[in-house]
Amino acid sequence: MEAEEFVVFMQELRKERGISIRKLCRGLCSMGVVENMMDGKWKTDRRLQNIMLERLGLVDEDYVYLLDCEDYECWEDRQHILHCITFREIEKAEELLEKYRKRYCMDDRIEEQFYLVIHAQIRRIQGCTREELSAYYEEALKKTVPEAGVVQLSKTALSVKELNLILETEHYRKEGERCARYQEVLDFVEKGKFSRAVRAKIYPKTVYYFSRCAAESSKLMDNAVLLRYCCEAIELLRECERMYYLWELLDLTMKFVHRISEELMQQGQANKAKALEELYQEKEEWKQALEEIYAETGIPKETEDDCYLYVMRGAYCLNDVIRIRRNMLGLNRKELCSGICDVKTLQRLEQGKTRPQSKIVRELLVRLGLPGEYTRIELVTGSPEVYRMMRQLRGEANEWCWEETDALREHIRGMVSMEIPCNRQVVLNKELLSRWRKGEISRETYCKQMLEVLELTLPYHAFLRAGEKYLTNEEQTCIVNRMQGLDSNSEEFHDCMSRLEEYYHLYIETGLWEGVWNMYEFVMSNIGSAWGNIGEYDRADSYNSLILKGCLCFRRMGMVYSSIYDRWWNYDKRKCSGIPVDKELNDEKELSRCILFSHLAKDERRERFYKEKLKIIRDRV
């Protein structure tokens, strides 16, 4: 049943969003290929599956992908290229991309499109001509949307990557940009049934391109309309805690406010013009704060590339997962494959020498405490509604809104199979955290029961044992949540810290951290805080610095204020303890930054905390 849930999910989503199979496969493959995929025949190319999901309006970072060796190597090669561009190792990126082209791009339109897009990114950084970029983007777009210039966008199903290509093709168009074309993309995004996380990846850029073009056009457009678009795009970014084109949109917003104010003054409406001052000042504060933090870390404030669209998170090598998980559980090959397959088949699978039947892999995964799916969301479910509710539940829990969290959790409990261990784990994890935060259970009871929730899929001793590990996102969440109830000076707590540090060190060392960043920033920010709490300030700061750099590079605002605060907290403790500091920090400025960035991210709980902390600092002076 678990293996079929994801197919059901896709079918339900396609019907819900009114996207026909013909629309879904246009420019990609025949209708027969999609029909086979929807029937559960998962022999379709993984890249094709991904673009299908994207055309259905979902973002790949919400999924876990278990890839065979060949696909995983391709994923690794992509991630290394994207990492080099993000961190401006351009010569290395160019070299890796050429190797990628020779290995993967023969008669594969999706891979050819990737190559052209990334090559254009590199050439843009190198300062090539607009004509050259125009040719790259136009050719890339035609790989999967050959009729883009003929068919109305409203009659198509497009992924955010394809919409981005339409924007870039228009931006570098030889004959010049057309506001009407940007307007068409804007209408498509506004009317499309995208999740908010997906919309945040393309709507701000679309608004920026459209508004900038309209502002520069000889044909005057109402500044108030353009201001509204910019404000809506900024609000979307705030809700999703992203910063794609945020600085650019703030800059445009201020210009439009200034123009409208001048118009009102000329019309003798000074009061209305003055009313806009507050909006201008707010956006100016945000813009200045962004400029300062980006300058401090040496990262460009402008969104200079589109690598964030191509980073695929949650990808793991299926062969390695089975091998690593078997060793974690202390099973020999015979014990794992008994009644499923012969030992030789398992051995060849772990060595990456064979692609076994899906049925065999599913049974092996389930025996290892994992959902039996190659591609899955957090819960095993065929309901898109549950998917949306889980996103809402996480938001409410982050705000410590426990009544709302409880109501959503119970609704979800009634909509998914609680016979599936990973589903029980998700629901019970959220329930225990809520009960503890509300004071309904003791710390001891919380830790004991959270351990039981973890062990629904993974024995605790298997996590504590040193060595290679594969942990699901929910298992990591259970471990981190349980650590919050442990004594931070205990041997057990430090063992947990060590295992989690080992787990993520490899990703940082190999330059694959973008691929696990969703969990990295959550897990390692907790580890960093824990080191600070026991006086290991330098070690704590190393994590704060890395998380802040990653958030700014990847345009994510969720942990920016936490990193700034933790850095200041470590500084304050050093000062109070008489420990020398490398750099003087201004208490009020640092806490005011935390307040501003938490307000920008609409994190009201953190904003209140920072305001209270600032009051204490002022009273202390």
Side-chain angles (χ1 to χ4, degrees), residues 204-222:
K205 179 173 182 175
T206 307
V207 168
Y208 171 62
Y209 274 34
F210 169 67
S211 300
R212 177 190 45 74
C213 181
E216 296 171 357
S217 173
S218 56
K219 181 181 178 181
L220 294 177
M221 184 168 289
D222 191 341

Side-chain angles (χ1 to χ4, degrees), residues 322-588:
I322 291 174
R323 173 182 55 80
I324 292 169
R325 193 78 170 192
R326 176 179 64 78
N327 289 330
M328 284 177 67
L329 298 178
L331 300 173
N332 60 42
R333 290 194 178 108
K334 185 176 180 180
E335 290 170 326
L336 175 59
C337 67
S338 177
I340 299 175
C341 64
D342 58 46
V343 174
K344 189 174 181 180
T345 298
L346 177 57
Q347 181 178 4
R348 287 176 58 80
L349 170 62
E350 291 186 347
Q351 292 173 348
K353 295 180 179 179
T354 186
R355 289 187 177 185
Q357 298 175 6
S358 298
K359 182 177 182 295
I360 291 175
V361 171
R362 290 165 185 163
E363 291 181 8
L364 290 173
L365 291 173
V366 170
R367 187 166 287 180
L368 292 168
L370 303 170
E373 299 175 294
Y374 288 89
T375 307
R376 63 182 176 85
I377 52 176
E378 185 174 7
L379 285 162
V380 177
T381 176
S383 169
E385 183 182 355
V386 170
Y387 165 83
R388 288 189 290 269
M389 290 172 65
M390 274 304 304
R391 295 185 68 86
Q392 186 180 351
L393 185 151
R394 287 195 295 270
E396 298 291 357
N398 289 339
E399 285 291 325
W400 289 27
C401 299
W402 301 119
E403 290 186 10
E404 293 82 354
T405 299
D406 292 345
L408 284 165
R409 187 195 65 242
E410 290 308 301
H411 196 174
I412 290 169
R413 187 197 295 267
M415 296 179 68
V416 301
S417 171
M418 294 295 285
E419 297 299 314
I420 300 175
C422 68
N423 283 358
R424 287 207 306 280
Q425 190 174 67
V426 170
V427 173
L428 294 176
N429 182 7
K430 302 296 186 293
E431 180 180 347
L432 274 178
L433 186 62
S434 174
R435 292 183 63 198
W436 182 45
R437 292 301 186 190
K438 291 190 297 183
E440 295 177 357
I441 56 176
S442 67
R443 182 184 297 268
E444 292 74 18
T445 299
Y446 169 77
C447 288
K448 178 178 179 294
Q449 293 185 357
M450 188 61 80
L451 179 59
E452 293 170 358
V453 172
L454 170 65
E455 293 193 325
L456 287 170
T457 62
L458 178 72
Y460 189 43
H461 67 81
F463 163 68
L464 290 177
R465 188 185 301 122
E468 277 188 297
K469 288 185 177 53
Y470 172 75
L471 304 170
T472 68
N473 291 350
E474 195 61 30
E475 287 167 352
Q476 293 177 59
T477 303
C478 286
I479 292 164
V480 172
N481 285 348
R482 185 172 184 274
M483 287 174 68
Q484 293 174 11
L486 295 175
D487 178 358
S488 61
N489 291 310
S490 68
E491 182 179 351
E492 181 185 358
F493 187 90
H494 282 263
D495 286 344
C496 289
M497 290 174 68
S498 296
R499 298 295 86 82
L500 291 171
E501 287 180 315
E502 290 168 2
Y503 188 73
Y504 280 108
H505 176 72
L506 181 64
Y507 290 100
I508 301 299
E509 190 177 57
T510 57
L512 294 173
W513 35 318
E514 292 98 316
V516 293
W517 191 256
N518 286 12
M519 289 304 298
Y520 182 91
E521 64 179 12
F522 164 68
V523 173
M524 300 315 293
S525 64
N526 278 277
I527 298 299
S529 294
W531 282 119
N533 289 339
I534 59 176
E536 294 284 347
Y537 305 123
D538 291 344
R539 194 163 183 175
D541 279 342
S542 68
Y543 285 120
N544 297 335
S545 177
L546 185 61
I547 290 172
L548 180 60
K549 183 178 181 181
C551 286
L552 294 175
C553 283
F554 310 146
R555 310 288 158 175
R556 298 166 68 91
M557 67 174 74
M559 288 292 175
V560 170
Y561 42 92
S562 297
S563 298
I564 295 172
Y565 176 77
D566 287 348
R567 181 181 65 184
W568 170 81
W569 191 91
N570 294 332
Y571 164 82
D572 187 59
K573 292 299 179 183
R574 286 188 183 99
K575 291 276 285 188
C576 292
S577 303
I579 301 172
V581 294
D582 295 331
K583 180 183 176 182
E584 291 289 334
L585 297 178
N586 182 289
D587 296 334
E588 287 215 14

Side-chain angles (χ1 to χ4, degrees), residues 46 67 70-80 100 104 311-316 507 512 514-516:
R46 184 262 309 166
L67 311 176
E70 186 178 329
D71 282 343
Y72 186 77
E73 284 181 13
C74 180
W75 175 82
E76 276 192 315
D77 290 342
R78 274 195 177 207
Q79 296 307 123
H80 285 137
Y100 188 95
Y104 301 109
V311 170
M312 179 181 171
R313 294 187 172 90
Y316 303 91
Y507 290 100
L512 294 173
E514 292 98 316
V516 293

Side-chain angles (χ1 to χ4, degrees), residues 163-207:
L163 289 167
N164 182 66
L165 280 174
I166 292 172
L167 292 176
E168 294 293 10
T169 301
E170 187 63 30
H171 179 58
Y172 293 106
R173 183 171 173 266
K174 295 173 185 176
E175 298 82 3
E177 299 170 275
R178 297 166 295 181
C179 288
R181 185 60 163 169
Y182 289 138
Q183 180 76 66
E184 188 180 5
V185 179
L186 195 57
D187 291 342
F188 183 95
V189 176
E190 286 188 325
K191 294 175 183 177
K193 295 182 178 180
F194 294 104
S195 69
R196 294 193 72 76
V198 174
R199 195 183 300 274
K201 288 193 169 191
I202 193 64
Y203 184 73
K205 179 173 182 175
T206 307
V207 168

